[in-house]
Structures are given as C-alpha cells and as structure tokens.
Amino acid sequence: METARLFKRAIGDLWHVGKNYYSLLFIQIFCQSSLTFLSFFYMSRLVNQLNVGDSQAITSLLIQYLSLFAVLQLTSTLLQPTIDNHSEITQRKILEQPYEKMLRMQYHFADNADTVQRLERIKFGNLSRQSSLYLINVRIPFLLNHIIRMFLGLVFLAPLVRGTNLTAEGTWLWVNSPWILLIFVAGILLSILSQFIGSQKVAHFMESVGEEIIKVNTLFNYENDLLSDVESGKEIRLYQLEDKLHENQLVANEATFNLMSKINRLGTNWHILTVVLGQLLNYAAYAIIGLRVLLGFLPIGQIIQLSSALNQVLANLPMVIQQTAMILSQPDTLVEYYAFMDLPEEQAIGSLPIEKRLDNAYQIDIKDLSFTYPGATEATLSNISASFDIGKKYAIVGENGSGKTTFIKLLMRLYDPSSGQINLNNIDSQKYKLTEYFQLFSVVFQDFRLLGLKLGQNVAVNQQYDANQALATLTEVGLEDYIETLPHGLETYFGKEFDNSGVKLSGGQAQKVAMSRALYKNAPFMILDEPTAALDPVAEFEIYQKFDEIVQNKTAFYISHRLSSCRFCDEILVFDQGRIIQRGSHQTLVNQAGKYQDLWQAQAQYYQ
C-alpha cells in the first residue's frame, strides 16, 4: 500500500507539472494510433461490400475513410510542435523541482552538507534510476502509446466475442464455442505472467546494481567536468594527469558496458520465452478466426479486422507490462526523492511590515539566544544576550567553530533560533514578514557568487539597474579606473557564456564587485564576511582607509580572522565555544588578558 501511495503521488506530481503536455500527448497518440485501426476497420467493410457488389456503399465507405484519415493525420501533425515545446518545458520543470526546493526549505537544511549530497544523488538518480520522476516522464509517451493501441485492439476484437454461439450444431461446434475464447484468454494471461516475471527479474537485478551504476556514472561525469574545465586544466597538465583520467574514463566505460550486458542478457532470455508464447497464441488465433470465416460464423471481411486487432493486442501487451515493470522497479528512488522534497520549508510566520526609516534607526537586541543544528547533540550557540547601537561597527572574531557564522545567520533569520529571540526595535524579529526582514541586510559573503551577466546587472542583482548608482558604488570600492578599460563599461559581461567579449575578473576585483553589490542595496545593516580576503595588501589598506565612508551611517558586522582589521571597528565581540566571552574596543581587549590578547599575539609577527 505504501508503494502504491508513493507512485500515486508521483503520477499526481507529474500531472501537476505537465498536465497540458500529457493532455495534448494523449490526443495526439490517440489520433496517430487510430489511423492504423481505421485502415483495417474500413478495409474489412470494403471487402464485405465488394463481396456483395454494392458500389454505392463502397463509395460511401471510401469517402468516410479518407475524410477521417485526413482529420486524424492533420490533428496529429498540427499538435506535434506544441507537444515538443511542452515536453521540453515539462522535463525542465521536473529537473528544476529539487533545486527550487533548496531555495524554499529552511536554510539550515539547505546549508547542510548531507542535504547537498542528497541533492546530488537525486540529480544522478534522475538519469539512471528507472523510478525517478524524470525517467517515468520519459516512459509515459511509450507506455501511453502501447496502452491506447492495446485498448483499441480489444475494442476491435469485439466481433470475436459476439461470434461465439453455444447453440451451433455440427462437427465444428467447438470452433464457435466461448470456451475457445476462455482458453485464448488463459494463454494471454500466461504470456502476461511470463512477461511480468521476466521484467521483475530484470528490475530486481537493476536495483541490486543501481548504486554501482550511479557510482560509475558519478565518477564518469565528475572527471568529464574536470576535463572540460579550463581552470582544472592547469593542474592536469602540471601533474600529468591526462593518462590517469583517460584510464579512469575507460574503466568507467567498461564497467557500464559489463553491467548493461548482464541486464540485456537477462532480459533477452525472458523475452524469447514471451515471444514464443505470443507466436503460439498468434497462430492459434489466426486458425480460429479463419475457421469461423470459412464456416460462415463471421463475414469474410472480418478476418482483416480481427487478425489485425489481435496482432496489435499481442504486440503491445508485452510492452505495456515491460514499461510498467520498469517504472515500478526501484521505488526506493521515490522514497529518497520525497524524503528530500518533504524537508520543512521556510515558514512565513511573521506578518508585520518593516517600518521604512530614512535615518536607518533600526536597533537589534538579542536575549538568551541558543541554537542547535538538527541532529546535533551539542548547541552551537548558548544563551547569548547582547545589544547593538545604531550606526556602530562591530567586529566578530574567534577561532573556527566558535559560532561566528551561525550567529550572523541567526541575525539575518536564515536560521531560526532553538530558543531565545532577536528583537528589532523592541519587537521579536519573528513577527516581521521574512521577505521584508531580509531587505534590511546588505551582505558580502566570503563564498559570494557573481553571475555570467553584465557588470551593472551583477551590482544590482537585477536586469534593470541605475547606472549612476552602480557606477558610484563601484567607484567607492576602487574600481572606477578598471571600468574605464572595459569594452562596454557597465554593459560588459562577466565570462564568455553569453558574449565573446566578456571579461574575467581577478579574485580581488570580483570581491570588490561583491562589496559594490552590498552598497548598491543600501540596506541599514551591512554584514561583511572576510571582505578583503582576496585583496592584495595595498587594496586592502585602501578599503580600510575608506571603511567608515563605505559603510556610512549603517550598523555593520564584520567577521574576520585578521585581527589587524578589527582596529577599524567600534567594538569587538570575541566568540569561543558558542558564547561571547569578551567585548570591547581593540585597544581595550589587546591590553586585557584573555582570548583576544592570545589571538593577537599569535598573529602579531605578521603585523610587524
């Protein structure tokens, strides 16, 4: 029952994503399949009319046939371009859903390495595991085609059922007996059972080697990406890795070939048995139909309709079973997929709008703040209480793992606290609209990302931007002269993905653009996570010289491992094991025995 609910949910999700595609696909396949049945249906009637010599009826049948054939063929042809477009869109939506989920889920899940690994498994499983939503979608057109043809075949076999007659007399009574039909149905069921068992054997084998296939494909794709990556090319050449990577590719190809050969051999053995049973049923059915026509139980023209319809049923039935069995073969794929998709999403708990203030008078106070990562046994932050004055600059320092970054993420509501609260202007931040609360923060993360778009669009993070404002912020971080050298100024692309004249920035230049982006947003809180890590000493000094000018009257939080940079801040918060153990100015803390003094002395040799 659980498996049935799982696949019911999968089909429901596919319908929700691609209902227009599936609706049009059904109409087109029905029209296309009907052409085959239309031909032998009218052919059988034409033969009957030729047998009695009714020329008027023959003309009428020909007109009907040609008219219906033209309508069905035209409908199928006209629908094809639209179906192709919807098919592409549906496939993209299916592949995009896990990534969209990453943006909707609570950030502490998205920020977790295990979640990222699960996303990677789903990504590769989509293309290699038969029960993935993507491959179910790929199989649906084939399955739908075989189901419709089989259904139409059964409909056109109706005269065979109506032709049975228990009251018939004579030596050939058995030919017209319904028992013949029952025996024939039993033969079909035996064929179905054989096909189902064979498909299950193949499916179980594929499931047993599924992880091995994914492992081989993952290695192959990873090394393929390395070989096509220009940056990786330097190390590949310097360390002479070409032969090793090529050898790995050959090993992956051979492993894939061996696995697929085993699958094909297993499938072929069962397929031969099914084909033999199908052919025996074919011969028996043709013999019965022929005898019924010869004995006058059926019109002579019916032999065309019945034999053709029977052939369609016997040809498409195994394919329906095979495709269905493959879809149902690896339910664990959907279990993993929906476990990921069911991770909690960000909840719009708050409803209060943020007051718009031109003076940036937004004050944050923290009371008894604690946070524990899901699944962790120890708290990352414990009982932190602090107040921050409007317009001051705060440095946050401490050893790795002391809770600095987690604290900032809680401050921005990327994480929700396990206990305690963060107040904005004396109101619990959880009561504000989350999207409006995010607008209060301009952030430069250490692992920032620039997009393969125009410089101005990168600064504004928008296709439309104010050129004067973008240029002003770039000037503030010291990129004015560089912009003048660009071929198209603010309209110059980063990288060459969209424009061959695009440029590649150095690490320091990219970091300055990221700082410019934060300034362009012009939010009341500025958060800088190692903002000068990629800058050379001269550029770093220039940034610090203009630090107050750049941050202006905003409240700023500055995370740094370089304690020399903390001198530019009004106060320093020293984190250790999830707590704030010291707080004060640089001069106060450096002359005070404690963690900050120890850290400063450990780095002092680099400042002399």
Side-chain angles (χ1 to χ4, degrees), residues 282-320:
N282 255 331
Y283 298 148
Y286 287 142
I288 297 300
I289 292 171
L291 284 172
R292 284 190 177 186
V293 171
L294 288 172
L295 295 171
F297 294 128
L298 291 171
I300 189 170
Q302 289 284 25
I303 195 169
I304 299 173
Q305 176 179 327
L306 293 176
S307 60
S308 299
L310 180 64
N311 183 62
Q312 288 292 324
V313 171
L314 294 177
N316 287 282
L317 180 59
M319 301 307 297
V320 169

Side-chain angles (χ1 to χ4, degrees), residues 142-151 316 319-320 323:
F142 302 101
L143 181 60
L144 197 57
N145 179 58
H146 295 307
I147 288 175
I148 289 175
R149 287 179 177 273
M150 188 180 71
F151 173 77
N316 287 282
M319 301 307 297
V320 169
Q323 295 291 328

Side-chain angles (χ1 to χ4, degrees), residues 416-431:
D416 290 329
S418 302
S419 63
Q421 65 186 49
I422 299 170
N423 293 329
L424 175 69
N425 290 348
N426 298 318
I427 297 176
D428 186 351
S429 63
Q430 297 284 323
K431 294 183 179 180

Side-chain angles (χ1 to χ4, degrees), residues 33-52:
S33 301
S34 297
L35 294 174
T36 303
F37 291 89
L38 194 68
S39 297
F40 63 66
F41 175 78
Y42 276 95
M43 186 62 67
S44 67
R45 273 143 187 79
L46 284 168
V47 170
N48 288 335
Q49 295 305 321
L50 285 169
N51 193 41
V52 299

Side-chain angles (χ1 to χ4, degrees), residues 63 65 78 130 132 146 176 237 273 285 327 362-363 372 404 434 454 474 599:
I63 292 172
Y65 170 69
L78 291 176
Q130 300 302 318
S132 68
H146 295 307
N176 210 35
R237 288 171 172 79
L273 177 61
I327 287 174
Y362 300 96
Q363 182 166 357
T372 303
K404 304 186 300 297
L434 184 59
K454 299 172 183 177
L474 288 165
L599 292 172

Side-chain angles (χ1 to χ4, degrees), residues 26 28 43-45 61 68 81 129 159 161 234 252 254 256 269 272 312 321 358 366 379 389 408 445 515 547 602-603:
F26 176 84
Q28 194 228 24
M43 186 62 67
S44 67
R45 273 143 187 79
L61 286 171
L68 285 173
R129 296 181 70 85
V161 179
K234 298 192 297 291
E254 184 178 358
T256 302
N269 294 337
I272 291 173
Q312 288 292 324
I321 297 169
L358 296 177
I366 297 171
D389 295 333
I408 288 298
F445 291 113
M515 292 183 68
F547 190 73
Q603 296 183 15

Side-chain angles (χ1 to χ4, degrees), residues 60-80:
S60 176
L61 286 171
L62 284 172
I63 292 172
Q64 290 177 33
Y65 170 69
L66 293 174
S67 300
L68 285 173
F69 190 92
V71 169
L72 292 172
Q73 183 68 61
L74 184 62
T75 301
S76 175
T77 303
L78 291 176
L79 284 176
Q80 190 62 54

